[in-house]
Structures are given as C-alpha cells and as structure tokens.
Amino acid sequence: MSREELEYQVVMLKRDGLSARRIAFSLGISRNTVKKILHKVQQQREEGHDSLLEVKKKRAPRSSKLDPYIPKIQEILDRYEKATAQRIFEILQEEGYEGGISILRNRLRKLRPKPKRKPTIRFETEPGEQGQMDWSPYKLVLKCGTRLQVLCFSYVLGFSRRQFIDFTLQRDFFTLIRRHIAAFEHFGGVPEQCLYDSEKTVVLRWEANRPLYNPSFLQFITHYHCRPIACQRGRAQTKGKVEAPFKYIEGNLLNARTFHSLEDLRETASWWLANRSDTHIHDTTRRAPLELFMAEEAHMLQPLPSHHYDSSEIFFLVGRVDGFVELKTNFYSIPYENVGEILTVRVTDEEVFVYTPELKLVAHHERLPNSKAQKTELPEHRSGSKNVRYGLEPIRQTFCELGEAAESFLTGLIDKHPRNSGFHARKILLLKKSYHCDDIHKALVHAMRYHAYDCSAIERIVTARASPRTLEQVTRQRSLDHLRKLLPTVKQRALTEYHDLLEGSLANHSPEEDDNDSKQKDS
C-alpha cells in the first residue's frame, strides 16, 4: 500500500483502541513507525496543515569511492563519446580506483549525454499532390466462431485526408494493383505521387541509399502517371497520414462489431467509408474529408485513363485427364478435346478464362475462393458421350503434335491397350506439364524400340533422360522456335568479299578528288 494508505490504516486502528504493538503486528511494520505516524498526524491537527511541508525532501546522496573520479570520467566522456564502461573502469583502476564496475555503470547512465532525437517535421501537401498507401493486419473472430486473419489496404489523400480501405486475405502483387485501381475509382482520379514502404511488391531492394523499384509495379503505376516515392527504411512516421487512420479503423469500424464472413466485412467497410470516414471531422483539418475533397481536391486529381491497367494473372496449365484445370487448389472444367494441351488461363478478381494454345476461348468460369478445393463444371463441357470423355479420338490430333513418331506409337498403343488407349495417351500428354514436347517425343521413339507401349514406361524414360521445365519455359521456347522459323536466314559473308570491295573503292578514288575535298574544307 502507499504511504498515505498506511497512515490512514494506523490512525483508524488507533481510533478503534488498538495499541501501538497490536497495530505494528497487524500491519507488519515496526512500533517506531507507528509512533512516528501518530505523532505526525497529531501535530498536523494541533498546529495546522501546510501543503508546502508535504513536499518530500530528497535524501542527500551517500558518498562513494567513485566521487573523486567524476571529473576524470567527465574528461574521458568529453574526449571519447563512445568509451565503454569496461574501458573507463580500466583507466580509473590505473588512477587508483578501488570500487566496482557496477556503480560505475550506474553513474555513466546519468553522465552520458542523451542522444537527441530528430524531430519529425509534419508537412502539408497541395490538393492532388500526394497520396499515402499502407497495409495493416487484423485478427478477427467471425460469428460462427472461426478465426480469420485479414489485411486492411488503406489509401489516403494527403490534402483532404479522404480515405479508401478494403480487406483481403493476401498482399501479393496482383492484389496490390487491384486495390490501387479500386482506390483510384473511388476518388475519381489519381494524385501526382504516392508514398510507400519498402515492401517487395513495390521496392525490390535499396542500392546506394536509393530504392530500386519493382519493374512490374513501375509499369503499372506509369499507366496512371503517378510517381512512387519509397520512404526511408525505419522511418514509418514519414507516412503518418496513412498510419494514424488505422487507429480510427480499429476503434470505430472493427470495434464492437462481429462479421459473418470476409464479404460481410468488405460490405460493412464500404458503408463505413461513406457514412463515417467521409463525414467525421478530422482532428487536423477540422473539416470533413469528403467536404474538403469535393471543395478543393477532386478537380486537382489527374484524370483516370480511358482503360484501366489489365491486372489479370496469367497461368500456363495442362488440361487434366478428368477434364479440369487446377488453379489455387480449385478445379475448373474444360472440354475433353483440350485434355493434355498447354492451356493459357487468365484470372481476374472474379473470373477465370481458359484459352487454347491459339488463344481461342474454351471456358469461362466465376472464380472460386482460393484454397477451398472446390469444383465448378459447365454443362456444355460434359454433353458428349463416354467415348468423347475417355476415348482416344478427341485427343488424337493433340497427341500427334508431339512429333513424327507419335502416330506410330498410337498404333502400337491401340494394339496393346484396345480398351483404354485413350487413358494412356492422356497420361502421356500430362507429362507436358514438366517436360518439353521434344523430350516426350524422344521417349516415344525409345519406347517403340522395345515395344513398351505404356504410359508408365514413357514416364520412366522421360524422368531418366530429360530435365524438367516449367510450363513458362516450354511456351517461351516454343515461341522462340516459331519466331526463328519466320525470320530469314542470315548467312555470314567471307571477309575476302569486304577486302575486295575496299580495294575497289580505293582504286576508283583519284588523288585529284582528295585535293578538291581539302580545298573545300579550307574554304
């Protein structure tokens, strides 16, 4: 208990008739302390109470062995600011100091000059000049009891303090640029510059104290004529206009609210922006952000381009044997005719488009939530007969495109597996996911020598003889080979032809022409 509480307890127990010995025993203090408290209170009652006398006088510090060496310590610190306690201790021992190092360390904490912190200069920007962007993680508990960790994307205009927020489950590059596009749509324009942290999606690394920006992000932000500015590392307060509103989000939007799902959270956030964030009186500007935005900043933003930047993700996937492509653990149906082909998949926030190698659209699906292991199947992809679904004919042309020996291999495959040749052919085509078509074709040629007409045999041969590649490498090599066929063949000439050409030009060049040229230069 505090000293005031102790004095109260002593006086009350004395008033109840307890002796000093009994009071000391019950409170765990000495009898002398009890007597001093009772004497003090009685003296105040008789002589009066003075507030100034209540100020406690500090006890005079006790002298120590270190006191005579204080001037020497100060001299060392003035000369060597970074002198350690151990080094000073050694110097003092040479001077005759017999004390310990602990008391020296305690005294150094008081004697050392405290580092001066550089003040953070708050600055204001002109309307439409600057925006600030940042992320903040939150852990929520949904109404069903499920724990959900979300990321809040926040974009704030520096002048009006008008804010845009959205919640996501990830913060990869495509999520970042899609949230930017939504923010620009929300404001109806783009500021001239924007402040960012050194996250990898924006800044790859720092070199010579200068940021090296992510080329993909630069390509995106250039589309909107906005200049990125990376804050110095360890100086998050530079973006104070976007850091501070997170407290408002926590204390108002997320406080005392429970949500059904991520979609419910995003809908509530949209309502909150219009009815709370835009209309509350800001502590600095003393005006509502929407009011100040409409009055002075909206017309100063750069106009949006006619078409937004394409934020689609592009994947190269092989059509599975069961007539699906797998994307983010989800499965999207494709026609059985495209099984085994390397398909181009374009993914937006809400849709999935599947194209053939010739970029012909064969499937269009609504995007499923990531990591849900769900399937979406279109009826038109399953309208064929069982022969179309599992037979060889729908994929014969695709298989024959592996190379010259593919058709001969199919003949042997049909003779050996007349009932399920289509299954074996599909399994072989799936090897295109990890190996080049030329490597698979070489495996077919090798297998025919030993009459190994089986998908397992082809897989063993390819695994032993070829190096795996990503689909991106395969498609890139295919495009390069196609380009080389289109370009004309360049034949290097013999050096003697250039020598003869040079000798001929010198022989035809007369000395009189040199004299005329020199005269023209002199004139």
Side-chain angles (χ1 to χ4, degrees):
M1 66 180 72
S2 65
R3 182 69 179 185
E4 291 77 8
E5 291 175 337
L6 178 62
E7 292 178 356
Y8 170 78
Q9 292 288 345
V10 170
V11 173
M12 291 296 103
L13 291 174
K14 182 61 178 178
R15 194 189 66 174
D16 293 340
L18 274 69
S19 65
R21 180 189 296 271
R22 186 66 179 272
I23 295 173
F25 178 78
S26 61
L27 296 179
I29 58 178
S30 67
R31 282 179 288 173
N32 288 336
T33 302
V34 174
K35 292 177 181 180
K36 287 180 181 179
I37 293 174
L38 294 175
H39 176 71
K40 172 190 171 185
V41 174
Q42 185 63 27
Q43 185 179 9
Q44 288 180 353
R45 286 168 59 85
E46 294 176 355
E47 299 178 5
H49 175 264
D50 190 348
S51 298
L52 293 178
L53 296 178
E54 294 298 318
V55 179
K56 295 182 180 179
K57 296 181 181 180
K58 295 184 178 180
R59 293 181 181 179
R62 296 172 59 186
S63 60
S64 67
K65 296 180 181 180
L66 190 63
D67 290 345
Y69 300 94
I70 296 300
K72 181 63 177 180
I73 296 174
Q74 194 63 56
E75 179 186 346
I76 298 173
L77 292 177
D78 292 340
R79 189 174 181 181
Y80 307 103
E81 294 181 0
K82 297 182 179 180
T84 63
Q86 180 62 36
R87 185 69 189 101
I88 296 176
F89 179 67
E90 295 171 357
I91 295 174
L92 294 183
Q93 281 184 322
E94 296 174 359
E95 298 285 335
Y97 174 63
E98 297 179 353
I101 193 174
S102 298
I103 189 174
L104 174 61
R105 288 196 175 101
N106 294 334
R107 188 63 63 91
L108 283 175
R109 294 190 185 99
K110 300 178 181 179
L111 294 178
R112 284 188 190 277
K114 295 182 179 180
K116 296 181 179 179
R117 295 182 60 185
K118 294 182 179 180
T120 301
I121 302 176
R122 300 297 181 188
F123 61 92
E124 297 296 332
T125 54
E126 296 298 321
E129 180 181 353
Q130 189 183 92
Q132 298 184 10
M133 171 264 153
D134 203 0
W135 296 91
S136 181
Y138 296 103
K139 293 182 179 179
L140 306 177
V141 179
L142 303 180
K143 288 187 177 180
C144 61
T146 304
R147 296 183 180 274
L148 181 67
Q149 183 166 351
V150 297
L151 292 156
C152 179
F153 170 90
S154 176
Y155 197 105
V156 176
L157 296 178
F159 177 77
S160 65
R161 290 353 190 243
R162 194 180 182 203
Q163 184 181 21
F164 170 81
I165 65 170
D166 197 4
F167 290 90
T168 67
L169 298 177
Q170 55 195 9
R171 54 181 296 182
D172 57 9
F173 172 75
F174 292 98
T175 303
L176 176 72
I177 65 174
R178 288 166 184 164
R179 300 290 80 74
H180 269 76
I181 295 174
F184 297 155
E185 280 283 356
H186 182 74
F187 299 132
V190 184
E192 296 179 3
Q193 57 183 235
C194 184
L195 298 184
Y196 296 94
D197 281 334
S198 297
E199 57 177 294
K200 291 297 183 181
T201 50
V202 178
V203 180
L204 291 181
R205 61 183 180 275
W206 286 76
E207 292 186 0
N209 205 32
R210 299 186 65 181
L212 182 62
Y213 291 101
N214 186 336
S216 299
F217 183 78
L218 279 182
Q219 188 177 14
F220 160 76
I221 209 67
T222 301
H223 185 79
Y224 291 93
H225 293 182
C226 182
R227 183 164 67 96
I229 300 177
C231 298
Q232 288 289 337
R233 290 164 292 184
R235 293 280 297 174
Q237 60 268 34
T238 308
K239 316 192 281 61
K241 295 174 184 177
V242 72
E243 296 280 356
F246 283 123
K247 297 180 181 178
Y248 186 44
I249 294 173
E250 295 171 14
N252 195 285
L253 170 60
L254 301 179
N255 189 23
R257 282 192 175 95
T258 309
F259 306 96
H260 294 281
S261 60
L262 176 62
E263 291 72 22
D264 182 28
L265 172 60
R266 298 182 67 186
E267 291 176 3
T268 306
S270 179
W271 171 89
W272 180 83
L273 281 175
N275 296 276
R276 294 293 184 269
S277 179
D278 279 349
T279 58
H280 84 288
I281 302 301
H282 196 274
D283 293 339
T284 302
T285 63
R286 309 309 301 172
R287 296 176 65 179
L290 182 60
E291 175 192 347
L292 187 56
F293 172 81
M294 297 302 296
E296 302 185 39
E297 188 164 33
H299 63 281
M300 299 299 294
L301 295 175
Q302 299 181 90
L304 295 172
S306 301
H307 299 280
H308 281 298
Y309 189 85
D310 186 5
S311 60
S312 303
E313 298 177 74
I314 303 299
F315 298 91
F316 296 100
L317 304 174
V318 175
R320 291 160 46 102
V321 175
D322 55 359
F324 289 89
V325 290
E326 183 179 358
L327 177 67
K328 306 285 187 181
T329 74
N330 294 317
F331 302 90
Y332 301 88
S333 67
I334 59 172
Y336 287 110
E337 291 80 1
N338 302 113
V339 169
E341 292 185 336
I342 300 178
L343 304 172
T344 303
V345 181
R346 183 166 69 93
V347 182
T348 67
D349 249 351
E350 300 175 350
E351 297 175 297
V352 174
F353 302 88
V354 184
Y355 300 88
T356 64
E358 296 77 26
L359 296 184
K360 176 185 176 183
L361 181 66
V362 295
H364 176 203
H365 298 274
E366 181 180 350
R367 185 175 181 177
L368 300 172
N370 292 346
S371 304
K372 292 295 183 180
Q374 297 178 351
K375 283 187 178 182
T376 176
E377 194 170 7
L378 298 180
E380 55 267 27
H381 294 163
R382 302 296 180 257
S383 58
S385 62
K386 186 175 181 179
N387 187 42
V388 173
R389 180 174 300 187
Y390 303 108
L392 179 63
E393 293 306 318
I395 61 169
R396 178 184 288 273
Q397 181 178 354
T398 304
F399 193 93
C400 292
E401 291 174 356
L402 291 174
E404 298 177 355
E407 189 169 357
S408 301
F409 183 88
L410 274 182
T411 304
L413 184 65
I414 295 172
D415 292 340
K416 186 175 181 180
H417 304 281
R419 294 186 177 181
N420 56 353
S421 57
F423 170 80
H424 285 268
R426 283 174 165 82
K427 293 289 287 185
I428 294 172
L429 287 175
L430 287 182
L431 294 173
K432 292 162 65 175
K433 185 175 181 179
S434 303
Y435 298 94
H436 196 279
C437 292
D438 293 342
D439 296 327
I440 301 174
H441 180 260
K442 292 177 182 178
L444 298 179
V445 174
H446 183 80
M448 285 192 297
R449 297 176 184 173
Y450 302 95
H451 302 282
Y453 298 102
D454 188 273
C455 60
S456 301
I458 302 299
E459 185 175 1
R460 288 194 299 270
I461 295 171
V462 171
T463 303
R465 291 172 168 256
S467 300
R469 301 183 184 181
T470 63
L471 289 178
E472 288 78 4
Q473 292 174 324
V474 173
T475 53
R476 194 181 302 118
Q477 184 65 39
R478 181 182 296 175
S479 301
L480 183 61
D481 295 340
H482 180 68
L483 181 62
R484 286 173 178 170
K485 293 179 181 179
L486 297 178
L487 293 176
T489 304
V490 179
K491 295 182 179 180
Q492 185 177 359
R493 294 185 179 184
L495 295 179
T496 54
E497 297 184 17
Y498 295 99
H499 181 268
D500 297 341
L501 180 64
L502 182 63
E503 290 291 337
S505 62
L506 292 176
N508 296 331
H509 193 69
S510 63
E512 297 178 354
E513 293 178 354
D514 293 338
D515 294 338
N516 294 334
D517 292 340
S518 61
K519 290 179 180 179
Q520 290 178 358
K521 291 180 180 179
D522 294 338
S523 61

